[in-house]
Every structure is written in C-alpha cells, then in structure tokens.
Amino acid sequence: MWESRRAAAVPGSVFALMDAAKGRARAAGLEIVDLSIGSSDLPPPDVVLEVLRGATRDPGTYRYPLFSDTAPLREAAAGYLARRFGVRLDPAREVLPLIGAQEGLAHLLLAVTDPGDTLLLPDPCYPPYLGAAAVAGLNVVTLPLRPESGFLPDLDAVPEGVRPRVLLLNYPNNPTSAVADAAFFRRAAAWCRARGALLVHDHPYAELTFGAYRAPSALEAGLEGVVELHSLSKTHHMGGFRVGFAAGDAGVIAALARVKGAVDFHPYLGIQRAAAHALSLPDEVGRAGAAVFEARRDALIPALRDLEWEVTTPEASMYAWARVPGLRDSVAFAVRAAETTGVAVSPGAAFGAGGEGFVRFALVQPPEILRGAARRLGTVPVQ
C-alpha cells in the first residue's frame, strides 16, 4: 500500500538468501567462514582512533556540522589527491565530504540526472549501483565486462542511438578486481565529453594495490565533466565510520551539495577530524594494509587453481573473481556451499547477468583460513 514506484524498482538482494543460508549452517553447527562481504577486517590506524577519541571529549564536536566545518577534511582530501595523483583542486569548490561513497553516488545521481535519463553501467557491477539508478528513475544501459578484454568496457560498442547522461566506472573493479590505466581514463573522459555525458568514477580501492601497480585517478584526465568518489572504508579500514568525499567538476560538486543539503548534514565532526588525519598520513600506512591483502591473495589464488577454477591474479582490490567450470547457477551453488560447508561466497549473478558462472571471494580472512575455505568448496558439487 505504501511502497512507491521508486522503492518497488529497487532490485531485491541475493545477499538476503546468503544470510539465510549462513543461518542454517550455524544452526547445523558448522563453522562459518564468511567471504561474501567486502568489509575490511583490519582496524583503523591507532593514530586515527586517537584523534577520534579526543574529539569525543570535545563538546564542540556535538553540534550539527555546517559546510564551513568541513574545511579541514576538504583540504586534507585535496592534499591527498595532489600528493597521490598530481591533481590540483580547489577545496572550497571541487571537494565535498560524503557519508560514505555509496550514499554519495545515490545523491549524485539525483543531483545530475532527471527521471528517464540514461546511465551507462558495467555488467557485472557493485549491486547498489542498480539500486541508486532505480531510485533516480534512470534508464540503465549495460556495458559488458568480459575476461578477454580485461574486464574493461568497449565504449565504441555503445549503439549510436544511446544518449547517456552518466557513465559510471569503477577501477580497481568490484567484483572482478580488474584495473585500468591512465590512458583508459583519458579515452573515457574524451568519449563522455564528445557526448555531453558525465564521467563518474567510484574509486574506493585506490590504495589497495599490489606489487608495482598503482591505481590512477580519473581526475588525471581533467576535471571538466569528471567526478570521482573516494572512501576511507578500505584503505583506512573505516567502513563503519561512513566517511568519504567527492571531487572533480565544480558544477557537479555544487549540484551534489544542493541535494545533500536537503537531506542530510555532514559526518560527525569527530569522524571528520579522524578522516582528515587519515588522509594526511604517510602513504606507507595505507600500503601496510594493502600488503596484508596481497598476502591473502597469494594464499587463495593457488588454492582455487588447485580446484581447476579459472582465476586471474588480481593486481588490486580486496577480491578474487573466479569462474567455476560448468557452473550455470551461481546463486544455487553459493547457497549450497554455505549450507554444506559453512563457507560463504558471493554468487556472480548477484552482480548482474554478466557475473553468472563466477563467484567472488572477499579477502577478509587470514591466509590459512582462505586455503581451508578453498578446500571445503572443492567438495561442493557444481550442479
């Protein structure tokens, strides 16, 4: 009776099925190894927590935060982007704090699109992208991400009749762990500018990179018609704090600020202080966390190959994306795996039709547990 068309259009979550399967496994006495959720299990840096603790004892942090109060975080974010990517931004006009990048994307689409506009979206993709598009009333046109192309979209294959308002990209990618270079972003930005489209780059894994690889920023292709979303959830392990920032085209940032001003205040001032301190830390701090995930990658990938599953060694992110030979129903497989072994993975179909036949692993357990989880999954029949 009360459900709006917007709410009804939001896709149901496969992860509710996974939660139920995990519950049945627990009831059966199985040990649960949950690799289905990409939430870092590492703690934030101690110095960041100390800043937050100090802020909770400061009564000046208890009030509603105004835009002027966000200046230290905006300046820290601009400093990080300049130091890391060589991108110079005006903290007053081209940077805006977010209550997490997921919230930021939903509000951004409301700020820059009208119902019926077209959003170009990768397939597979992070599921909340589809929910945000539904709430905004957008027409979604998918861009297939295929292994043979390195899970990069072929923009030249977009039909001539498609007139996108927004192209949404995400590299390092969730769920595939694929990476993109600076040349790719230059091509994507030029493609969007030629069509009057906005390039939105979701960049939460910017510092979770392995070996010699370092992820570029879409902002390196210029700020005009480009906006990037950053999060402290992964690199600084602050997922529950709900803090991030948007940066880029000043007109886009102004539109986003207008929408956010109607529906929320900014993050708690103590969290802002902690986030600003985190963004100002030496790069080695973030690299320490990346090294932990790299060691986990190095444990899991050979174990999956021992099962004869097809998996590329990721250069970044906190995931492994594996094709299971003969798998035609990844949801049924993931539910069966959780119920019979206690190992929970994300079914590829949860990320879109292009994910069928795959499963995603979140590298959120120590190496030996990941190896054991792979061995347990090897006992689960594919069909």
Side-chain angles (χ1 to χ4, degrees):
M1 168 179 180
W2 295 109
E3 188 176 62
S4 69
R5 287 192 294 272
R6 293 186 198 86
V10 174
S13 174
V14 172
F15 298 103
L17 292 176
M18 293 305 303
D19 281 341
K22 286 181 282 187
R24 290 190 290 272
R26 288 190 188 94
L30 292 175
E31 176 192 9
I32 304 299
V33 178
D34 194 350
L35 309 178
S36 65
I37 305 296
S39 178
S40 176
D41 60 316
L42 303 180
D46 285 341
V47 290
V48 172
L49 293 177
E50 284 303 316
V51 170
L52 179 59
R53 292 186 186 103
T56 64
R57 295 187 287 270
D58 177 2
T61 67
Y62 304 159
R63 56 182 173 77
Y64 290 126
L66 303 175
F67 178 76
S68 59
D69 295 316
T70 70
L73 178 51
R74 286 185 278 113
E75 290 165 2
Y80 160 75
L81 293 170
R83 183 178 73 247
R84 175 64 173 78
F85 303 108
V87 176
R88 304 288 175 179
L89 297 106
D90 178 354
R93 300 172 55 250
E94 296 169 337
V95 181
L96 184 69
L98 304 173
I99 306 176
Q102 183 170 321
E103 166 271 328
L105 175 64
H107 284 153
L108 177 61
L109 293 182
L110 291 173
V112 300
T113 67
D114 292 312
D117 282 348
T118 294
L119 169 67
L120 290 180
L121 197 60
D123 177 18
C125 72
Y126 181 47
Y129 294 171
L130 294 166
V135 170
L138 302 182
N139 171 46
V140 172
V141 174
T142 57
L143 300 171
L145 304 184
R146 297 189 174 97
E148 57 269 24
S149 62
F151 295 108
L152 294 174
D154 181 1
L155 296 177
D156 293 332
V158 176
E160 283 295 325
V162 173
R163 294 290 181 264
R165 177 68 171 174
V166 174
L167 167 63
L168 175 56
L169 298 174
N170 160 227
Y171 292 97
N173 184 256
N174 179 12
T176 70
S177 294
V179 298
D181 60 17
F184 169 79
F185 286 116
R186 287 194 295 271
R187 291 193 299 271
W191 188 92
C192 285
R193 288 170 186 143
R195 290 158 180 79
L198 173 66
L199 172 57
V200 177
H201 183 224
D202 187 22
H203 207 7
Y205 305 100
E207 303 305 333
L208 283 187
T209 61
F210 310 141
Y213 177 74
R214 294 292 181 271
S217 166
L219 300 176
E220 295 175 55
L223 303 187
E224 180 189 353
V226 180
V227 67
E228 193 162 76
L229 306 176
H230 285 260
S231 169
L232 281 86
S233 296
K234 313 301 182 183
T235 300
H236 297 92
H237 319 293
M238 297 173 68
F241 292 63
R242 308 314 305 142
V243 62
F245 61 91
D249 188 297
V252 175
I253 297 298
L256 175 57
R258 190 178 182 95
V259 168
K260 283 178 59 65
V263 295
D264 72 53
F265 279 93
H266 302 285
Y268 164 57
L269 282 169
I271 289 176
Q272 289 191 50
R273 289 182 188 177
H277 191 77
L279 289 169
S280 302
L281 291 173
D283 293 343
E284 293 75 30
V285 175
R287 301 304 305 156
V292 172
F293 287 103
E294 184 173 6
R296 295 173 178 183
R297 175 204 69 175
D298 292 344
L300 179 61
I301 298 302
L304 295 178
R305 289 179 178 153
D306 286 344
L307 303 178
E308 299 185 346
W309 290 13
E310 300 171 21
V311 56
T312 301
T313 302
E315 292 184 84
S317 88
M318 58 190 299
Y319 306 109
W321 181 243
R323 189 200 294 271
V324 183
L327 183 61
R328 294 183 177 85
D329 188 341
S330 58
V331 174
F333 174 80
V335 169
R336 186 162 60 246
E339 290 177 339
T340 59
T341 71
V343 177
V345 295
S346 296
F351 303 92
E356 189 54 274
F358 291 82
V359 294
R360 191 199 73 176
F361 294 79
L363 303 174
V364 293
Q365 295 287 342
E368 193 49 48
I369 292 180
L370 290 171
R371 293 189 190 99
R375 290 192 293 268
R376 287 156 70 176
L377 288 173
T379 67
V380 182
V382 172
Q383 303 297 342

